[in-house]
Amino acid sequence: QVQLVESGGGLVQPGGSLRLSCAASRSLFSIDTVAWYRQAPGKQRELVASMPRGSSADYADSVKGRFTISRDYARNTVNLQMNSLKPQDTAVYYCQIRIAPNIDPYWGQGTQVTVSS
């Protein structure tokens, strides 16, 4: 079992920034893939960013150039730096890790991000 605890969400004005963190209960060194998803009210959960081990990150077109995913191996955290936020970025953001391709992923509890003036 792996526990994931997200933090860093909140209310921010359009154009602002937030940094989400996801603390894992185990080392990230052997984790296959880390990712962030989001789910807005009335919409399906969507992939925001993912980072396979040893590979570069992939981003949804809607966040490219604004969001950056990273792994902090020293702190066992997965971070999502979000800049130039827009109202359409409002959603609950979820951290996901996948230990191996053939094993069900683990999810965090979610953190609310609201972009509004």
Side-chain angles (χ1 to χ4, degrees):
Q1 280 284 0
V2 180
Q3 282 74 47
L4 302 174
V5 179
E6 295 120 333
S7 61
L11 173 64
V12 63
Q13 292 186 343
S17 298
L18 281 176
R19 183 178 178 85
L20 304 183
S21 290
C22 173
S25 60
R26 58 166 287 173
S27 170
L28 297 181
F29 278 103
S30 61
I31 298 297
D32 180 73
T33 303
V34 298
W36 285 93
Y37 285 73
R38 67 186 180 186
Q39 187 167 17
K43 294 188 177 182
Q44 290 189 334
R45 191 171 297 188
E46 64 173 352
L47 177 64
V48 174
S50 65
M51 179 181 283
R53 185 176 59 219
S55 300
S56 57
D58 290 319
Y59 298 92
D61 288 343
S62 58
V63 306
K64 280 181 182 177
R66 300 189 297 122
F67 290 12
T68 303
I69 187 173
S70 62
R71 300 192 194 202
D72 186 335
Y73 290 102
R75 294 178 174 82
N76 294 336
T77 60
V78 182
N79 301 308
L80 185 68
Q81 178 66 42
M82 305 186 296
N83 299 327
S84 302
L85 283 161
K86 305 175 181 180
Q88 52 264 47
D89 294 318
T90 295
V92 178
Y93 284 71
Y94 297 90
C95 173
Q96 183 209 66
I97 68 168
R98 188 179 292 272
I99 296 175
N102 59 337
I103 297 177
D104 289 341
Y106 294 93
W107 293 89
Q109 82 285 357
T111 184
Q112 176 70 47
V113 172
T114 302
V115 185
S116 175
S117 56

